[in-house]
Amino acid sequence: MMKKLITTICLVFAFQSVAFAQSFDLTEKFKKSFNETVQEVQSTENAGEKRMLLNDSFSNMITVIKRIESKANLSEDEIAQLKAYKRDIQEKKAELNGRNDFDKVQDKALNDFSDYSQQYFEQADRTITIGLTAALLIVLILILL
């Protein structure tokens, strides 16, 4: 009897762990990555390097999303969420570089822009949760970038 109870409890915890592991919050991963970029931008004196760091960060996030879209088996909702998030990142990159009717962010304002972008991502109302397979793909892509 005791053996069955322990086995049942272990199975319940195992199923709960598997269910939890089946989702991965992409938004949190991007927030953490962009936070590191902001710290680098803040500690860099050269405006060209600051702009390059921000551009690279935005480009890497867009690349990750494109690879996920092309390689992962996602639901329609997940695809829509990724596209919206990618559009937001592309907009920030366009704003940084003065494209799509934006004024280019001035060199002296790059620290403020990095803070503004970070706050924008932190306050984003969406959470992109994707399956475990896509999560593993993301981890591999981020390691390679």
Side-chain angles (χ1 to χ4, degrees):
M1 178 68 170
M2 186 63 131
K3 213 175 201 181
K4 284 184 181 182
L5 179 63
I6 292 173
T7 303
T8 303
I9 291 172
C10 288
L11 284 174
V12 168
F13 283 121
F15 285 127
Q16 183 180 8
S17 296
V18 169
F20 179 73
Q22 289 299 316
S23 66
F24 176 84
D25 188 351
L26 179 62
T27 311
E28 286 302 317
K29 187 69 175 166
F30 279 159
K31 285 178 185 179
K32 181 179 177 189
S33 175
F34 196 74
N35 183 41
E36 292 168 4
T37 298
V38 170
Q39 290 175 2
E40 287 181 57
V41 167
Q42 301 286 338
S43 67
T44 301
E45 294 297 320
N46 183 294
E49 288 179 37
K50 290 176 188 251
R51 190 173 302 278
M52 183 189 69
L53 287 167
L54 290 166
N55 264 314
D56 287 349
S57 183
F58 291 139
S59 293
N60 287 343
M61 288 190 281
I62 292 167
T63 298
V64 168
I65 291 173
K66 285 179 180 177
R67 287 184 183 169
I68 292 167
E69 288 174 331
S70 69
K71 297 186 186 230
N73 186 16
L74 303 173
S75 70
E76 287 183 31
D77 187 45
E78 291 169 334
I79 291 169
Q81 289 176 341
L82 279 175
K83 285 184 182 201
Y85 201 67
K86 180 172 69 175
R87 187 176 50 248
D88 290 347
I89 296 167
Q90 289 170 327
E91 186 175 291
K92 292 292 170 226
K93 187 174 180 183
E95 187 175 352
L96 173 67
N97 296 303
R99 295 187 186 120
N100 301 341
D101 297 326
F102 286 105
D103 291 331
K104 183 177 181 179
V105 175
Q106 299 298 313
D107 289 348
K108 63 184 177 187
L110 288 170
N111 284 349
D112 292 337
F113 179 77
S114 67
D115 287 337
Y116 162 74
S117 297
Q118 181 182 23
Q119 288 173 3
Y120 179 83
F121 291 127
E122 289 289 332
Q123 295 172 358
D125 217 9
R126 70 176 62 96
T127 299
I128 302 172
T129 304
I130 57 177
L132 182 60
T133 305
L136 293 174
L137 179 64
I138 292 166
V139 171
L140 290 173
I141 291 169
L142 290 174
I143 288 172
L144 295 174
L145 291 178

